[in-house]
Amino acid sequence: MSAEEAEQVETVEQVEAEPEQYATDAYGTPCYRHTDPDGDQFLAAASHIPGQGPGIYFRTTPAGASIPLAHLDQFIARLHAIAETATAETVEEPAQ
């Protein structure tokens, strides 16, 4: 096995070993959490944007955070789940 193949196997195992990234928030809605190697954190969660409807809330530590490309497919899948939740939970705003 080449060094590159070994690194890919290690990365896949790491992605599968971090289920806390996909834990729901305190309200039971899906979110995505990630802490990069130097401790920077990232959060994506469902939100409602007044006057615009459902959205996705992103928060990082002040220095920003990096998500490994090995996590990209899982991250995008989770964003879709968050978007579906935000859409389902959004109450139509009264016309102004």
Side-chain angles (χ1 to χ4, degrees):
M1 178 181 297
S2 71
E4 183 177 305
E5 290 171 331
E7 183 177 330
Q8 288 175 345
V9 169
E10 180 180 319
T11 302
V12 169
E13 289 170 356
Q14 180 183 4
V15 170
E16 294 172 358
E18 298 184 43
E20 68 275 3
Q21 290 177 318
Y22 307 105
T24 58
D25 65 14
Y27 303 104
T29 56
C31 58
Y32 178 88
R33 294 176 182 86
H34 176 75
T35 302
D36 68 15
D38 61 353
D40 298 319
Q41 296 180 328
F42 176 86
L43 169 73
S47 72
H48 176 77
I49 305 167
Q52 296 181 2
I56 298 178
Y57 169 76
F58 294 97
R59 183 175 68 202
T60 69
T61 49
S66 300
I67 297 172
L69 291 180
H71 294 229
L72 185 61
D73 291 339
Q74 293 86 352
F75 174 62
I76 291 170
R78 194 58 168 179
L79 287 179
H80 283 288
I82 292 167
E84 290 169 6
T85 299
T87 300
E89 290 184 348
T90 299
V91 178
E92 191 172 313
E93 293 183 32
Q96 294 183 4

